[in-house]
Amino acid sequence: MADAYEFLLTLDLRDDLSEDEVAELRWHLGLGPQPEQLCIITEFPEVVLDDAGPALDDKGEFKVENAPYPVLAQQGPAWKIGGAALSGLARREDPHPGWALTTRQSLHPDDFYYVDRLLGWLATHAAYDYAHYVGFERFYEDAGITKVLMIKDGEIVREG
């Protein structure tokens, strides 16, 4: 048995993203290189491991370093959920300028911390000012959707 969730997100973003934000978003989606400076999710603290396990600093505390990684960057066969993992970000001009985003990923529960941080940022740039369905999560062994993703009051929330 595995802990894997199918995660599908599809939403439109307003035309208020800076070039730096678009570059980082493309990186998070596996569509471009990591920018020198991160502006969406800036901290990725990770305990440093050595041969004996967690490394300790001079004070005897776990040594932590910033280890950024793209959170929705899987491409190719989707582990456990079938089909393909993919992401896309396309410029939209009509009827309203902005960005169209779609991603389908196979996520472990540990992945959701950073995914949720990215979702929080995306919600602040979503092109919807009303409740709107934007995706779902499904445990890989379930036949149906586990949670529906909705934009409500400027947040992406899970229902179900």
Side-chain angles (χ1 to χ4, degrees):
M1 184 165 160
D3 286 337
Y5 286 83
E6 177 181 12
F7 176 84
L8 176 76
L9 177 69
T10 179
L11 75 155
D12 293 332
L13 302 170
R14 293 187 311 271
D15 194 26
D16 63 354
L17 306 183
S18 70
E19 287 182 27
D20 291 340
E21 290 170 327
V22 171
E24 184 173 342
L25 183 55
R26 291 182 56 74
W27 172 65
H28 279 298
L29 297 172
L31 303 173
Q34 178 179 342
E36 283 187 37
Q37 192 76 14
L38 300 178
C39 57
I40 297 173
I41 303 174
T42 59
E43 296 292 322
F44 292 81
E46 185 174 298
V47 174
V48 177
L49 300 176
D50 60 23
D51 293 338
L56 302 177
D57 63 16
D58 297 339
K59 299 175 186 174
E61 297 177 1
F62 290 133
K63 189 175 183 179
V64 176
E65 66 181 23
N66 193 30
Y69 68 92
V71 299
L72 298 173
Q74 297 170 18
Q75 303 285 334
W79 184 74
K80 289 286 184 188
I81 64 171
L86 52 88
S87 291
L89 182 66
R91 181 77 181 133
R92 173 174 306 214
E93 294 300 336
D94 292 322
H96 304 288
W99 297 90
L101 181 150
T102 297
T103 186
R104 180 179 186 260
Q105 304 284 299
S106 176
L107 300 179
H108 184 275
D110 292 344
D111 297 326
F112 281 103
Y113 175 75
Y114 290 110
V115 168
D116 287 349
R117 291 182 65 194
L118 182 58
L119 290 179
W121 182 86
L122 288 169
T124 66
H125 295 279
Y128 316 109
D129 56 0
Y130 52 90
H132 191 80
Y133 167 85
V134 293
F136 67 83
E137 295 169 5
R138 178 186 67 85
F139 185 64
Y140 84 102
E141 290 183 335
D142 290 347
I145 291 172
T146 307
K147 304 265 183 197
V148 171
L149 301 175
M150 299 282 298
I151 293 250
K152 284 187 175 179
D153 300 322
E155 295 182 42
I156 296 179
V157 297
R158 292 172 173 87
E159 294 186 346

